[in-house]
Amino acid sequence: MLENKNGTSEVSTTRTSFEILALIRDAGGATIADIRTETDLAKSTVYRHLKTLHDMDYLVEEDGEYRLSLQFLQLSEPPRIRRPGYIVAKQKVIELAIETDERALFLVEEEFEGVYLHRAGGRNPLQSDTMIGKRRPLHALASGKAILAEWSDERIEEFAETTALEELTSNTITDRDALFEELEQIRERGYATNMSEHMDGLRAAGVPVYNHEDDLIGALSVFGPNGRVSQDDIESTYPDLLEQKASELKIDLTYD
């Protein structure tokens, strides 16, 4: 047994299997030799993990290369669908992408991290986005800060104490007091911004999303490169549009 970052016990073989799966996912496919190159695992160990995962239909193999199978859809889709507002939020994200001609997303919070539930935009707003399920730091996203600003001060304190405010760009908020000040400004104006805080050269605006019972379920956001997205877009155009979509989503959920 090993200890994880929280000091609790974990099964090392389980961790190894998931690390191999992540490696195969990121590479788009890998051979035993590829996995050995990227890890310090013995060939026999890699083979046993791959054989088990293949026998359970979580991997497919062709000409010695292993890829993730569609079996993972059975694991990933149910938790997404169970999220409040899943179906309605997807439509609103697509509408935002079409109306702004930029990327739009619906973000939810899970264990103090932001998770992309829907993302759309680019050349084909209807195309599925490979970023779905990716985890991102709440403090560096417009949608993440929109969620944080809706929390109680006590919960924000817990977040700040247990989460590293990682510096992703020179504009990322890494100071606890600066974060609290930013969240108070967000509460006053009703929307959050991301001025190249998560990635250099990108701007975003985000608003919180509530259901018909006034439960916070996530946040909507629109983002794009500085060359296309102006200050006025971030401070006026996008917030107004986002708030409209958030209101529509809340109403739609009443009759969902």
Side-chain angles (χ1 to χ4, degrees):
M1 301 283 280
L2 300 175
E3 284 194 350
N4 62 20
K5 62 183 179 181
N6 297 317
T8 57
S9 298
E10 61 183 27
V11 180
S12 59
T13 53
T14 303
R15 172 177 283 276
T16 299
S17 287
F18 277 98
E19 288 176 345
I20 289 174
L21 288 170
L23 191 157
I24 294 172
R25 176 202 63 199
D26 293 344
T31 64
I32 292 178
D34 294 332
I35 296 170
R36 290 193 64 203
T37 299
E38 296 296 326
T39 68
D40 58 358
L41 299 172
K43 181 178 180 180
S44 58
T45 301
V46 174
Y47 175 77
R48 287 198 301 272
H49 282 277
L50 291 176
K51 185 178 187 307
T52 300
L53 292 165
H54 182 263
D55 289 347
M56 295 179 67
D57 295 328
Y58 286 108
L59 292 176
V60 294
E61 183 269 334
E62 184 176 357
D63 297 329
E65 182 179 73
Y66 291 85
R67 301 188 310 277
L68 302 189
S69 78
L70 296 178
Q71 176 88 341
F72 279 98
L73 291 176
Q74 296 183 38
L75 293 179
S76 63
E77 197 62 12
R80 268 216 300 173
I81 293 174
R82 283 197 297 270
R83 276 282 177 167
Y86 168 79
I87 300 297
V88 182
K90 181 176 183 179
Q91 180 59 39
K92 296 306 172 186
V93 168
I94 292 173
E95 290 175 7
L96 283 166
I98 292 174
E99 293 177 31
T100 62
D101 201 26
E102 297 293 350
R103 287 197 176 274
L105 63 86
F106 179 65
L107 187 88
V108 298
E109 177 269 334
E110 186 175 76
E111 296 189 335
F112 287 162
E113 289 185 300
V115 182
Y116 292 139
L117 208 61
H118 298 298
R119 246 181 52 143
R123 295 180 179 178
N124 183 2
L126 301 179
Q127 186 175 355
S128 176
D129 199 299
T130 57
M131 297 295 288
I132 298 305
K134 290 288 186 179
R135 292 177 174 268
R136 293 291 184 263
L138 293 172
H139 72 287
L141 300 176
S143 49
K145 289 189 289 182
I147 290 174
L148 288 173
E150 298 301 298
W151 288 357
S152 65
D153 288 345
E154 292 74 20
R155 192 175 186 200
I156 298 172
E157 286 278 9
E158 183 184 357
F159 169 81
E161 290 175 2
T162 59
T163 305
L165 301 179
E166 182 183 359
E167 181 178 354
L168 302 174
T169 75
S170 60
N171 293 330
T172 308
I173 297 175
T174 58
D175 178 75
R176 174 193 169 282
D177 291 337
L179 176 63
F180 270 80
E181 182 178 344
E182 171 81 359
L183 296 180
E184 189 57 40
Q185 293 176 1
I186 292 170
R187 287 168 174 168
E188 291 176 1
R189 66 179 180 239
Y191 65 90
T193 62
N194 166 8
M195 307 301 283
S196 298
E197 297 164 47
H198 180 255
M199 185 179 296
D200 285 322
L202 288 181
R203 290 173 174 166
V207 301
V209 175
Y210 283 83
N211 65 14
H212 57 291
E213 296 179 340
D214 287 327
D215 298 319
L216 179 66
I217 62 173
L220 288 170
S221 179
V222 174
F223 64 98
N226 293 347
R228 291 201 307 259
V229 177
S230 68
Q231 193 80 12
D232 187 58
D233 287 331
I234 293 298
E235 296 178 352
S236 178
T237 305
Y238 289 172
D240 288 346
L241 182 58
L242 287 163
E243 288 171 7
Q244 174 191 330
K245 298 301 180 183
S247 296
E248 292 173 359
L249 199 161
K250 182 176 182 179
I251 294 171
D252 291 345
L253 287 175
T254 305
Y255 304 100
D256 188 21

